[in-house]
Amino acid sequence: MISRSLLLILMLFSLPVSAAVPVAYDYGGIPDIAWRSYHPPALFKQPSQSGGVYRQAVTATPDTLRRFGPNTDTYVAYLIERLQMPLLARHPNSGEWMSMLCHAWHVNFADNRFYCQLDNDARWSDGVPLTTRDIRFTLEFLSAETTGAITQRQAIQSSLKRLIVYSDKVFAFELLPQVAVGKLDAVFAFRPAAEHFYTSRDGWPEAFDYLAEPTTSAYHLETLITRDQINLRKTDNWWAQKRSFFSNRFNIDRIVYHKLDSAAQLLKRFRSGEIDSISLQKEHNWNHLAIQQLNSDYQITRLEYHTTDKISRYAIWEWLQLPAELGTSSSADILNPYEVTYGGGFWISQQQRIDVLAAPHRKDKVPQLIRNIKPQAEALP
């Protein structure tokens, strides 16, 4: 009988792992440094309502549920990547760095090092703790040429000199000099992969095409049941749900993306109430006669939010509820339901949905518009 340890080793060797990123272990040497931590107050303070299903449309569904490797230059891969929390993130209003997977951090420019203490509570959506083993594995896995993660491999090779592991929860990236003295945004945006998931079987990449990777954010991807629909579900007992910054957010139980092949099909499904919102980023879509007609005939509101470099436009059914603070946020996408930095601020009024679907037409024929122009805050260093 093969022991569990031997089986794990065999699985590790079946994946395309590379030693391109040197790893040093210093379990007794956590440096005495001034750790920094920032857990900001709630982004949205208005009480919200939990539950419901938020339904949007996409023009294509994936050939794979992977976020790495061949055939992942797609919107769906971007979506799946965003289901993973970064090490740190900038506050959407102040631009100040705040804790995400790293509970505390320190940047030593003299040594070109970024130190991180992973949050003790951080867990994958399947309940497995996040550790420095996941950090090490992600770097080695993405650095391997046979993984086929060309963009990620180039980013690692152009920025990282080595990884130093101090414990299961503490590590440091030793960076190349040109990275340490420049912008660190890309380093802080690192979103690790779950070692236990990627070492669970061999046959990369095909064996992982339709497997749902565990996540660290408030939502996880459900197994792909049909090629015409992508389902996200809120993770029960999400490890970061008690952080004040996430209060009154991530209210939706399930997020469903339906594949629709044409604008006519989208308008038909939206008008019938089967889709909750549609994006109207392009000017001709925003001003389209069909949208204006829906806006005046049905209980559908148009939203337009401006920041310095981005416009966010939607048409929404009026059972979608928006917090008052949404107008003060500099987020680029006001109806993003899952992005941990700024998303998930809205909710669904279940009773209002029932009432609106029973009598969807607007009696006064007066179109509703919610518009806000807010300059984006200067990003802090």
Side-chain angles (χ1 to χ4, degrees):
M1 177 179 284
I2 300 177
S3 70
R4 186 175 182 276
S5 297
L6 180 57
L7 183 60
L8 179 60
I9 292 172
L10 291 173
M11 287 179 173
L12 277 169
F13 277 103
S14 70
L15 281 166
V17 175
S18 166
V21 178
V23 180
Y25 295 90
D26 189 359
Y27 283 124
I30 298 178
D32 183 15
I33 54 180
W35 291 99
R36 178 183 177 187
S37 183
Y38 177 46
H39 294 279
L43 188 62
F44 303 121
K45 298 179 181 178
Q46 184 175 340
S48 57
Q49 178 181 327
S50 298
V53 180
Y54 179 54
R55 298 151 307 167
Q56 282 192 302
V58 291
T59 56
T61 46
D63 293 326
T64 173
L65 295 182
R66 290 180 287 103
R67 58 185 172 118
F68 307 130
N71 303 317
T72 53
D73 185 18
T74 65
Y75 169 76
V76 174
Y78 173 83
L79 183 157
I80 296 171
E81 174 78 3
R82 275 347 205 212
L83 292 176
Q84 306 293 350
M85 290 180 72
L87 301 177
L88 303 175
R90 287 193 184 275
H91 193 283
N93 294 333
S94 68
E96 186 173 356
W97 288 111
M98 55 185 176
S99 302
M100 286 285 161
L101 291 179
C102 293
H103 163 69
W105 73 94
H106 175 80
V107 178
N108 186 327
F109 288 104
D111 293 335
N112 297 328
R113 289 183 184 179
F114 163 65
Y115 296 88
C116 167
Q117 289 184 22
L118 293 172
D119 195 298
N120 284 329
D121 295 327
R123 278 175 163 69
W124 299 99
S125 53
D126 59 4
V128 176
L130 172 74
T131 71
T132 51
R133 289 175 60 92
D134 297 306
I135 305 298
R136 174 200 59 79
F137 172 80
T138 305
L139 293 174
E140 293 180 338
F141 182 56
L142 296 181
S143 296
E145 289 190 10
T146 47
T147 301
I150 299 173
T151 301
Q152 293 91 342
R153 182 173 75 250
Q154 291 174 345
I156 291 170
Q157 292 175 346
S158 64
S159 61
L160 188 61
K161 185 176 181 180
R162 65 170 176 162
L163 169 70
I164 306 171
V165 177
Y166 296 100
S167 72
D168 283 347
K169 290 291 185 179
V170 181
F171 71 91
F173 287 155
E174 186 170 333
L175 307 169
L176 296 173
Q178 67 269 23
V179 177
V181 299
K183 289 188 175 181
L184 292 167
D185 295 55
V187 175
F188 297 161
F190 178 79
R191 300 170 192 250
E195 180 195 41
H196 68 281
F197 170 76
Y198 285 98
T199 58
S200 64
R201 64 190 66 202
D202 56 12
W204 175 267
E206 291 82 4
F208 291 82
D209 276 349
Y210 299 110
L211 296 182
E213 178 187 6
T215 66
T216 49
S217 76
Y219 291 91
H220 62 275
L221 189 69
E222 291 188 310
T223 302
L224 191 68
I225 300 173
T226 167
R227 291 287 299 278
D228 294 329
Q229 184 172 310
I230 304 166
N231 298 332
L232 308 181
R233 184 175 292 276
K234 185 159 67 173
T235 299
D236 292 334
N237 301 313
W238 178 44
W239 65 273
Q241 65 186 6
K242 293 184 179 180
R243 285 191 185 180
S244 57
F245 182 66
F246 299 127
S247 298
N248 303 310
R249 294 173 61 193
F250 312 121
N251 305 295
I252 309 300
D253 283 341
R254 292 179 63 231
I255 304 164
V256 179
Y257 293 92
H258 296 278
K259 179 187 176 184
L260 301 179
D261 296 324
S262 68
Q265 189 181 20
L266 171 58
L267 286 174
K268 180 180 178 180
R269 297 280 293 273
F270 182 53
R271 184 172 56 246
S272 67
E274 298 174 61
I275 301 294
D276 295 295
S277 70
I278 55 176
S279 177
L280 301 170
Q281 293 300 101
K282 295 181 179 179
E283 191 78 25
H284 70 271
N285 290 333
W286 174 252
N287 294 316
H288 198 284
L289 181 60
I291 296 299
Q292 294 186 36
Q293 196 71 43
L294 287 174
N295 190 204
S296 60
D297 290 352
Y298 292 82
Q299 295 185 57
I300 290 172
T301 294
R302 289 194 302 166
L303 308 178
E304 185 176 45
Y305 282 71
H306 290 235
T307 63
T308 302
D309 56 357
K310 187 76 174 179
I311 299 176
S312 182
R313 294 187 177 117
Y314 280 91
I316 68 169
W317 278 99
E318 291 171 8
W319 56 70
L320 286 185
Q321 304 295 300
L322 309 175
E325 300 98 332
L326 192 63
T328 66
S329 171
S330 62
S331 66
D333 186 351
I334 59 175
L335 286 185
N336 183 301
Y338 55 83
E339 168 62 54
V340 291
T341 306
Y342 56 78
F346 62 94
W347 65 96
I348 294 175
S349 172
Q350 304 287 14
Q351 186 58 53
Q352 189 169 351
R353 186 174 190 273
I354 294 171
D355 295 342
V356 168
L357 286 177
H361 291 277
R362 191 183 301 284
K363 294 180 180 179
D364 57 12
K365 297 291 184 178
V366 177
Q368 297 297 303
L369 172 66
I370 298 177
R371 191 166 186 263
N372 179 273
I373 299 178
K374 173 73 176 179
Q376 192 169 31
E378 284 273 336
L380 298 181

